[in-house]
Amino acid sequence: MNTPVKLGAYALGLVVIFGGALGAGTAVGSTGTPPAANGHQTHTPLPPNQTADGHGAHAQPTPSQAVTAASIPGGLQVSQDGYTLTLETTTVTPGEPADLRFTVTGPDGHPVTGYQTLHDKKLHFIVVSRDLGGFQHLHPELTGDGVWSVKLTLPEAGAYRVFADFAPEGGTGLTLGADLHADGVYKPKALPAANRTSKVDGYIVELDGALTPGASSKLTLKVSKDGRPVTDLQPYLGAYGHLVALRAGDLAYLHVHPDGEPGDGKTPSGPEITFYAEVPSRGDYRLFLDFQHEGAVRTAAFTARAGELPTPATTSSPTPTAIPSASASHGDHNH
Protein backbone atom coordinates (compact mmCIF):
# COMPACT_ATOMS: atom_id res chain seq x y z
CA MET A 1 0.00 0.00 0.00
CA ASN A 2 1.52 3.37 -1.00
CA THR A 3 1.78 6.33 1.35
CA PRO A 4 -1.28 8.26 0.03
CA VAL A 5 -3.48 5.21 0.38
CA LYS A 6 -2.22 4.62 3.92
CA LEU A 7 -2.90 8.19 4.85
CA GLY A 8 -6.37 7.84 3.34
CA ALA A 9 -7.00 4.74 5.41
CA TYR A 10 -5.79 6.63 8.46
CA ALA A 11 -8.26 9.43 7.78
CA LEU A 12 -11.11 6.96 7.38
CA GLY A 13 -10.69 5.30 10.72
CA LEU A 14 -7.38 3.61 11.38
CA VAL A 15 -6.32 6.35 13.75
CA VAL A 16 -7.75 7.13 17.12
CA ILE A 17 -6.94 10.31 19.02
CA PHE A 18 -7.08 10.69 22.72
CA GLY A 19 -5.92 13.27 25.22
CA GLY A 20 -6.91 15.38 28.18
CA ALA A 21 -6.65 14.38 31.81
CA LEU A 22 -8.53 12.54 34.52
CA GLY A 23 -10.87 14.72 36.50
CA ALA A 24 -9.39 18.17 37.02
CA GLY A 25 -5.86 17.06 36.18
CA THR A 26 -3.94 18.24 33.13
CA ALA A 27 -2.32 16.32 30.30
CA VAL A 28 1.35 15.48 30.49
CA GLY A 29 3.37 17.99 28.51
CA SER A 30 2.11 20.02 25.59
CA THR A 31 -1.14 19.09 23.92
CA GLY A 32 -2.10 18.85 20.28
CA THR A 33 -5.42 18.81 18.43
CA PRO A 34 -8.34 17.92 20.73
CA PRO A 35 -9.53 14.31 20.24
CA ALA A 36 -12.93 13.08 19.20
CA ALA A 37 -15.37 13.05 22.06
CA ASN A 38 -15.73 9.28 22.13
CA GLY A 39 -12.00 8.67 22.48
CA HIS A 40 -11.80 6.62 19.31
CA GLN A 41 -12.94 6.67 15.71
CA THR A 42 -16.66 6.55 14.92
CA HIS A 43 -17.39 3.02 13.73
CA THR A 44 -20.31 3.66 11.40
CA PRO A 45 -21.62 6.59 9.34
CA LEU A 46 -24.65 8.45 10.61
CA PRO A 47 -28.03 7.32 9.23
CA PRO A 48 -29.96 10.01 7.34
CA ASN A 49 -32.47 10.46 10.17
CA GLN A 50 -29.85 10.71 12.89
CA THR A 51 -28.58 13.88 14.48
CA ALA A 52 -24.96 14.88 14.46
CA ASP A 53 -24.31 13.62 17.97
CA GLY A 54 -24.66 10.04 16.69
CA HIS A 55 -27.44 8.91 19.02
CA GLY A 56 -30.68 9.89 17.32
CA ALA A 57 -33.03 12.63 18.44
CA HIS A 58 -30.96 14.20 21.22
CA ALA A 59 -30.63 17.95 21.62
CA GLN A 60 -27.68 19.45 19.78
CA PRO A 61 -24.89 20.54 22.16
CA THR A 62 -24.03 24.19 22.47
CA PRO A 63 -20.60 25.27 21.20
CA SER A 64 -19.24 25.36 24.75
CA GLN A 65 -20.58 21.86 25.43
CA ALA A 66 -19.06 20.57 22.20
CA VAL A 67 -15.65 21.99 23.09
CA THR A 68 -15.83 20.43 26.56
CA ALA A 69 -16.81 17.01 25.18
CA ALA A 70 -14.10 17.13 22.53
CA SER A 71 -11.42 17.69 25.17
CA ILE A 72 -12.24 14.51 27.08
CA PRO A 73 -10.57 11.29 25.89
CA GLY A 74 -12.07 7.82 25.88
CA GLY A 75 -12.12 5.77 29.05
CA LEU A 76 -11.77 8.58 31.57
CA GLN A 77 -15.51 8.96 32.11
CA VAL A 78 -18.05 6.54 33.53
CA SER A 79 -20.79 8.44 31.67
CA GLN A 80 -20.78 10.14 28.28
CA ASP A 81 -23.36 11.24 25.71
CA GLY A 82 -26.16 9.94 27.93
CA TYR A 83 -24.62 6.45 28.32
CA THR A 84 -23.41 5.23 31.73
CA LEU A 85 -21.33 2.20 32.72
CA THR A 86 -22.44 0.65 36.03
CA LEU A 87 -20.56 -2.18 37.74
CA GLU A 88 -22.68 -4.33 40.06
CA THR A 89 -19.50 -5.20 41.96
CA THR A 90 -16.60 -2.82 42.47
CA THR A 91 -14.49 -4.86 44.90
CA VAL A 92 -13.33 -8.47 44.50
CA THR A 93 -11.05 -10.89 46.35
CA PRO A 94 -7.67 -11.38 44.63
CA GLY A 95 -6.99 -14.88 43.39
CA GLU A 96 -10.66 -15.91 43.45
CA PRO A 97 -12.85 -16.10 40.30
CA ALA A 98 -15.58 -13.48 40.26
CA ASP A 99 -18.66 -13.19 38.10
CA LEU A 100 -18.39 -9.55 37.13
CA ARG A 101 -21.72 -8.14 36.03
CA PHE A 102 -22.41 -4.70 34.63
CA THR A 103 -24.84 -2.67 32.55
CA VAL A 104 -24.67 0.21 30.12
CA THR A 105 -27.60 2.56 30.67
CA GLY A 106 -28.82 4.61 27.71
CA PRO A 107 -30.17 8.16 27.42
CA ASP A 108 -33.68 6.86 28.19
CA GLY A 109 -32.52 5.60 31.60
CA HIS A 110 -32.89 1.92 30.67
CA PRO A 111 -30.13 -0.69 30.12
CA VAL A 112 -29.01 -0.87 26.51
CA THR A 113 -29.90 -4.18 24.83
CA GLY A 114 -29.00 -3.45 21.21
CA TYR A 115 -25.36 -3.26 20.17
CA GLN A 116 -23.52 -3.21 16.86
CA THR A 117 -21.09 -6.05 16.18
CA LEU A 118 -17.61 -4.55 15.91
CA HIS A 119 -14.55 -6.70 15.29
CA ASP A 120 -16.65 -9.84 15.75
CA LYS A 121 -18.00 -8.81 19.19
CA LYS A 122 -20.73 -6.57 20.56
CA LEU A 123 -18.57 -5.29 23.40
CA HIS A 124 -14.87 -5.36 24.18
CA PHE A 125 -13.89 -5.25 27.85
CA ILE A 126 -10.37 -4.24 28.86
CA VAL A 127 -9.03 -4.70 32.40
CA VAL A 128 -5.72 -3.11 33.45
CA SER A 129 -3.98 -2.54 36.74
CA ARG A 130 -3.45 1.10 37.64
CA ASP A 131 0.33 0.65 37.44
CA LEU A 132 -0.15 -0.77 33.88
CA GLY A 133 1.51 -4.05 34.79
CA GLY A 134 -1.55 -6.28 34.27
CA PHE A 135 -3.74 -6.40 31.15
CA GLN A 136 -6.61 -8.46 29.83
CA HIS A 137 -8.90 -8.17 26.82
CA LEU A 138 -12.23 -9.92 27.55
CA HIS A 139 -15.54 -10.42 25.79
CA PRO A 140 -18.51 -10.62 28.19
CA GLU A 141 -21.80 -12.28 27.39
CA LEU A 142 -25.06 -10.32 27.24
CA THR A 143 -27.24 -12.35 29.61
CA GLY A 144 -30.56 -10.57 29.09
CA ASP A 145 -32.26 -7.34 30.13
CA GLY A 146 -29.07 -5.51 29.20
CA VAL A 147 -26.88 -7.19 31.84
CA TRP A 148 -23.35 -8.23 30.82
CA SER A 149 -21.44 -10.99 32.62
CA VAL A 150 -17.81 -12.08 32.49
CA LYS A 151 -15.62 -14.35 34.62
CA LEU A 152 -12.62 -12.52 36.00
CA THR A 153 -9.79 -13.33 38.39
CA LEU A 154 -7.52 -10.55 39.59
CA PRO A 155 -4.24 -12.13 40.72
CA GLU A 156 -3.07 -9.35 43.04
CA ALA A 157 -4.49 -6.79 45.40
CA GLY A 158 -4.67 -3.32 44.02
CA ALA A 159 -6.48 -0.75 41.94
CA TYR A 160 -7.71 -1.61 38.45
CA ARG A 161 -9.45 0.24 35.63
CA VAL A 162 -12.00 -1.39 33.34
CA PHE A 163 -13.00 -0.12 29.91
CA ALA A 164 -16.18 -0.97 27.97
CA ASP A 165 -15.61 -0.37 24.24
CA PHE A 166 -18.87 -0.59 22.26
CA ALA A 167 -21.28 1.07 19.83
CA PRO A 168 -25.03 1.03 20.57
CA GLU A 169 -27.40 0.34 17.69
CA GLY A 170 -27.92 3.53 15.75
CA GLY A 171 -25.10 5.29 17.59
CA THR A 172 -21.38 5.82 17.43
CA GLY A 173 -18.52 4.16 19.27
CA LEU A 174 -17.89 4.91 22.94
CA THR A 175 -15.33 3.89 25.54
CA LEU A 176 -16.50 4.19 29.14
CA GLY A 177 -14.31 3.49 32.15
CA ALA A 178 -14.82 2.56 35.81
CA ASP A 179 -12.66 1.62 38.79
CA LEU A 180 -12.39 -1.89 40.23
CA HIS A 181 -10.52 -2.92 43.37
CA ALA A 182 -9.00 -6.16 44.66
CA ASP A 183 -8.83 -6.30 48.46
CA GLY A 184 -5.47 -6.20 50.18
CA VAL A 185 -2.30 -4.17 50.43
CA TYR A 186 -1.56 -2.42 47.15
CA LYS A 187 2.09 -2.08 46.17
CA PRO A 188 2.21 -0.37 42.77
CA LYS A 189 5.18 -1.14 40.55
CA ALA A 190 7.16 1.38 38.56
CA LEU A 191 6.34 1.75 34.88
CA PRO A 192 8.80 -0.35 32.82
CA ALA A 193 11.44 1.65 30.96
CA ALA A 194 10.86 2.55 27.32
CA ASN A 195 11.63 -0.46 25.15
CA ARG A 196 11.51 -1.66 21.55
CA THR A 197 11.57 -5.42 22.18
CA SER A 198 9.13 -7.63 24.06
CA LYS A 199 9.37 -11.37 24.73
CA VAL A 200 6.30 -13.51 25.39
CA ASP A 201 6.00 -17.33 25.35
CA GLY A 202 9.06 -17.76 23.15
CA TYR A 203 8.05 -15.03 20.69
CA ILE A 204 9.99 -11.83 20.14
CA VAL A 205 8.08 -8.75 19.04
CA GLU A 206 10.04 -5.70 17.87
CA LEU A 207 8.60 -2.20 17.73
CA ASP A 208 9.68 0.19 14.98
CA GLY A 209 8.54 3.81 14.90
CA ALA A 210 8.06 6.62 17.37
CA LEU A 211 5.08 8.47 18.80
CA THR A 212 5.01 12.12 17.72
CA PRO A 213 2.59 14.36 19.64
CA GLY A 214 0.00 15.97 17.38
CA ALA A 215 0.96 14.01 14.27
CA SER A 216 0.21 10.65 12.70
CA SER A 217 2.69 8.05 13.94
CA LYS A 218 3.42 4.86 12.04
CA LEU A 219 4.11 1.91 14.34
CA THR A 220 5.28 -1.39 12.90
CA LEU A 221 5.50 -4.50 15.06
CA LYS A 222 7.47 -7.49 13.79
CA VAL A 223 6.83 -10.97 15.23
CA SER A 224 9.43 -13.76 15.22
CA LYS A 225 9.92 -17.11 16.94
CA ASP A 226 13.09 -19.20 17.28
CA GLY A 227 14.95 -16.62 15.23
CA ARG A 228 12.58 -16.86 12.26
CA PRO A 229 9.90 -14.38 11.15
CA VAL A 230 6.32 -15.51 11.77
CA THR A 231 4.58 -15.32 8.41
CA ASP A 232 1.41 -17.23 9.28
CA LEU A 233 -0.26 -15.08 11.93
CA GLN A 234 -3.90 -16.05 12.38
CA PRO A 235 -6.83 -13.62 12.28
CA TYR A 236 -8.06 -12.68 15.72
CA LEU A 237 -11.35 -10.77 15.92
CA GLY A 238 -11.06 -9.90 12.24
CA ALA A 239 -7.47 -8.64 12.28
CA TYR A 240 -3.86 -9.86 12.49
CA GLY A 241 -3.31 -7.77 15.58
CA HIS A 242 -5.01 -5.46 18.06
CA LEU A 243 -3.23 -2.61 19.77
CA VAL A 244 -4.40 -0.89 22.94
CA ALA A 245 -2.48 2.13 24.21
CA LEU A 246 -2.89 3.78 27.61
CA ARG A 247 -1.27 6.99 28.72
CA ALA A 248 0.64 6.66 31.98
CA GLY A 249 -0.82 8.73 34.77
CA ASP A 250 -4.45 9.11 33.71
CA LEU A 251 -4.95 5.90 31.65
CA ALA A 252 -6.43 7.73 28.67
CA TYR A 253 -7.48 4.97 26.28
CA LEU A 254 -6.62 4.37 22.64
CA HIS A 255 -7.72 1.27 20.69
CA VAL A 256 -6.46 0.99 17.13
CA HIS A 257 -6.38 -1.70 14.48
CA PRO A 258 -3.77 -2.43 11.84
CA ASP A 259 -3.43 -1.17 8.31
CA GLY A 260 -5.37 -3.67 6.19
CA GLU A 261 -7.26 -6.81 7.14
CA PRO A 262 -7.08 -10.57 6.55
CA GLY A 263 -8.38 -11.65 3.17
CA ASP A 264 -8.17 -8.25 1.49
CA GLY A 265 -5.60 -9.57 -0.99
CA LYS A 266 -2.88 -7.14 0.04
CA THR A 267 -2.27 -7.55 3.76
CA PRO A 268 0.34 -10.23 4.59
CA SER A 269 -0.14 -12.52 7.58
CA GLY A 270 3.09 -11.37 9.17
CA PRO A 271 5.69 -10.93 10.27
CA GLU A 272 4.91 -7.19 10.34
CA ILE A 273 1.73 -5.54 11.59
CA THR A 274 1.42 -1.81 10.94
CA PHE A 275 -0.68 0.68 12.89
CA TYR A 276 -1.25 4.41 12.66
CA ALA A 277 -1.88 6.37 15.84
CA GLU A 278 -1.89 9.95 17.00
CA VAL A 279 -1.16 11.05 20.55
CA PRO A 280 -1.75 14.58 21.77
CA SER A 281 1.01 15.05 24.33
CA ARG A 282 4.54 14.20 25.35
CA GLY A 283 4.89 11.52 27.98
CA ASP A 284 4.89 7.76 28.49
CA TYR A 285 2.37 5.38 26.96
CA ARG A 286 1.94 1.67 27.56
CA LEU A 287 1.22 -0.39 24.42
CA PHE A 288 -0.36 -3.86 24.47
CA LEU A 289 -0.35 -5.89 21.25
CA ASP A 290 -2.63 -8.95 20.97
CA PHE A 291 -1.72 -11.42 18.21
CA GLN A 292 -2.72 -15.01 17.46
CA HIS A 293 -0.46 -17.82 16.28
CA GLU A 294 -0.77 -21.60 16.46
CA GLY A 295 -4.23 -21.30 17.98
CA ALA A 296 -3.29 -19.13 20.96
CA VAL A 297 -3.56 -15.39 21.60
CA ARG A 298 -0.58 -13.71 23.21
CA THR A 299 0.16 -10.19 24.35
CA ALA A 300 3.38 -8.24 23.88
CA ALA A 301 3.82 -5.14 26.04
CA PHE A 302 5.87 -2.00 25.41
CA THR A 303 6.49 1.37 26.99
CA ALA A 304 6.76 4.13 24.41
CA ARG A 305 7.76 7.73 25.08
CA ALA A 306 6.09 10.33 22.89
CA GLY A 307 8.16 13.29 21.79
CA GLU A 308 11.56 11.61 21.70
CA LEU A 309 13.14 8.54 20.20
CA PRO A 310 13.23 5.68 22.72
CA THR A 311 16.58 4.13 23.59
CA PRO A 312 16.86 0.58 22.18
CA ALA A 313 16.23 -1.84 25.01
CA THR A 314 18.76 -4.47 25.95
CA THR A 315 16.18 -6.53 27.82
CA SER A 316 12.62 -7.45 26.97
CA SER A 317 9.53 -5.87 28.44
CA PRO A 318 8.07 -7.89 31.31
CA THR A 319 5.13 -10.05 30.29
CA PRO A 320 1.90 -8.47 31.61
CA THR A 321 0.61 -10.02 34.83
CA ALA A 322 -1.73 -12.90 33.98
CA ILE A 323 -5.41 -12.24 34.61
CA PRO A 324 -7.26 -15.47 33.79
CA SER A 325 -10.13 -15.02 31.34
CA ALA A 326 -13.54 -16.57 31.17
CA SER A 327 -13.37 -18.92 28.20
CA ALA A 328 -11.09 -19.40 25.23
CA SER A 329 -14.12 -20.43 23.20
CA HIS A 330 -15.25 -16.81 23.20
CA GLY A 331 -11.93 -15.45 22.00
CA ASP A 332 -10.81 -14.39 25.49
CA HIS A 333 -7.24 -14.88 26.58
CA ASN A 334 -4.91 -14.50 29.51
CA HIS A 335 -2.30 -11.81 29.90
Side-chain angles (χ1 to χ4, degrees), residues 29-53:
S30 60
T31 57
T33 303
N38 61 10
H40 61 289
Q41 180 65 31
T42 298
H43 295 293
T44 56
L46 298 176
N49 62 348
Q50 190 169 310
T51 58
D53 63 0

Side-chain angles (χ1 to χ4, degrees), residues 70-253:
S71 66
I72 301 174
L76 295 186
Q77 297 187 106
V78 72
S79 184
Q80 183 176 338
D81 296 345
Y83 293 85
T84 301
L85 171 63
T86 302
L87 301 181
E88 290 189 7
T89 300
T90 58
T91 302
V92 300
T93 301
E96 296 185 7
D99 181 14
L100 187 66
R101 295 164 62 87
F102 63 92
T103 58
V104 175
T105 303
D108 60 0
H110 299 291
V112 178
T113 58
Y115 293 83
Q116 300 176 41
T117 298
L118 303 172
H119 313 296
D120 295 343
K121 296 293 179 179
K122 292 185 176 181
L123 186 144
H124 298 261
F125 198 68
I126 305 297
V127 182
V128 296
S129 58
R130 274 283 179 182
D131 61 12
L132 293 176
F135 172 89
Q136 187 173 17
H137 183 170
L138 299 171
H139 300 101
E141 293 293 321
L142 191 57
T143 60
D145 298 327
V147 178
W148 292 92
S149 177
V150 64
K151 294 293 184 182
L152 173 67
T153 301
L154 299 179
E156 298 178 348
Y160 294 80
R161 187 72 173 171
V162 302
F163 301 94
D165 188 349
F166 64 94
E169 287 183 353
T172 57
L174 290 170
T175 301
L176 301 179
D179 289 331
L180 182 65
H181 301 276
D183 284 331
V185 178
Y186 176 37
K187 296 180 179 180
K189 302 177 180 64
L191 187 73
N195 63 301
R196 286 182 174 269
T197 302
S198 178
K199 295 181 180 179
V200 54
D201 296 342
Y203 292 83
I204 295 178
V205 183
E206 299 172 276
L207 171 64
D208 183 31
L211 295 173
T212 302
S216 175
S217 302
K218 179 181 178 180
L219 302 177
T220 301
L221 296 110
K222 184 176 181 180
V223 184
S224 63
K225 183 180 182 182
D226 300 327
R228 295 187 296 272
V230 175
T231 58
D232 57 344
L233 291 171
Q234 298 167 328
Y236 172 63
L237 301 175
Y240 286 127
H242 288 254
L243 186 66
V244 171
L246 297 164
R247 183 168 56 188
D250 62 3
L251 303 194
Y253 176 95

Side-chain angles (χ1 to χ4, degrees), residues 261-286:
E261 61 184 27
D264 63 6
K266 54 188 176 182
T267 302
S269 55
E272 295 183 346
I273 315 170
T274 298
F275 299 84
Y276 289 88
E278 184 170 337
V279 297
S281 68
R282 294 177 182 273
D284 290 327
Y285 295 80
R286 192 69 169 154

